[in-house]
Amino acid sequence: MTIGLLLAGGNSSRFEYGDKALYQNFAERCFKTLSDLTAPVYISAKLSNLTALQTRFPQAELLLDEPPYVAEGPLSALYALSTRVNSPIDVLILSVDNPEVAAKSLQQLLDKPNRYADHYFTIAHLTFEAADLTTFLATGQRRIKKFLNFLDAQAIALPADELIDHNRK
C-alpha cells in the first residue's frame, strides 16, 4: 500500500498569515485527501507546530527531520520517512500548500510511480529505495526537483483550479 506524506514542516516564510500547517483547515483538507487514498499517513512537522498537529491529528504518524538532514526542505521529510519505513518506499506526497488538490487528481499520480504535478514538485507519487535517497543526499543536492530528475519522474498536468499559490505577501 502507498504511504501518504503531508509536508507541514516548512517555514511558511512567504505566507502572510503565519504557519500554513495551522492556517484555517489547510492541513485537515490535505490529510483527508491523503487518507482517502493512502495508509498510513505521515505528517512532516517542525518543533514549533508539532504539539498543535498532534492535537489535530491524533491518528497520524508525525515526523520531525532527522540528522544529518534537518530543515533542508521536502527531502528532509523524505529522509525522516525513510528512517521509519521499509524499502522500497512508495509514497504519495502532498504539501499543506495545496489544500485544493482533489483525490481524483492524486489518483492520476498513483496510476504510475514517479510522477508529479507539473511545476508543483511537492505533489508527487514516488517509489524509491532508501539507499537511493541517501546516495542522492550525499551529493550535497537538496532540491526536490533534482531528486525527481534523479528518479526520472514524469510531470503530469493537474487541473489549474486545484493548483492555487497561497504564498503571497
Side-chain angles (χ1 to χ4, degrees):
M1 179 93 190
T2 303
I3 296 166
L5 177 61
L6 177 58
L7 300 175
N11 292 329
S12 300
S13 58
R14 295 173 289 146
F15 187 66
E16 66 183 312
Y17 303 109
D19 189 341
K20 273 183 280 194
L22 305 177
Y23 182 71
Q24 293 184 357
N25 63 352
F26 279 23
E28 286 81 359
R29 290 166 61 191
C30 292
F31 185 84
K32 166 91 171 77
T33 304
L34 281 172
S35 296
D36 288 346
L37 299 169
T38 63
V41 176
Y42 289 81
I43 299 176
S44 173
K46 58 186 174 184
L47 278 176
S48 63
N49 67 15
L50 181 65
T51 301
L53 290 172
Q54 285 172 325
T55 300
R56 287 185 182 190
F57 303 99
Q59 71 280 31
E61 300 271 350
L62 273 85
L63 300 171
L64 291 173
D65 293 350
E66 296 279 338
Y69 305 110
V70 174
E72 297 197 41
L75 292 177
S76 293
L78 284 176
Y79 179 77
L81 180 68
S82 78
T83 67
R84 302 270 291 273
V85 301
N86 295 325
S87 279
I89 298 165
D90 183 26
V91 61
L92 181 62
I93 303 165
L94 181 61
S95 171
V96 74
D97 297 55
N98 302 105
E100 291 85 3
V101 174
K104 180 179 176 183
S105 295
L106 292 179
Q107 186 61 57
Q108 291 179 49
L109 294 173
L110 284 171
D111 288 343
K112 293 183 183 176
N114 296 332
R115 298 172 89 180
Y116 64 95
D118 196 19
H119 301 293
Y120 289 82
F121 310 118
T122 56
I123 305 171
H125 173 220
L126 304 178
T127 301
F128 60 92
E129 297 287 336
D132 293 334
L133 177 60
T134 303
T135 298
F136 178 81
L137 290 168
T139 69
Q141 194 51 253
R142 299 296 182 268
R143 296 266 193 208
I144 190 152
K145 181 179 180 181
K146 298 285 187 183
F147 186 60
L148 294 171
N149 291 338
F150 178 82
L151 295 176
D152 199 27
Q154 302 300 308
I156 67 167
L158 296 183
D161 63 336
E162 295 178 20
L163 301 171
I164 297 168
D165 182 3
H166 294 283
N167 287 316
R168 298 187 201 269
K169 265 199 168 182

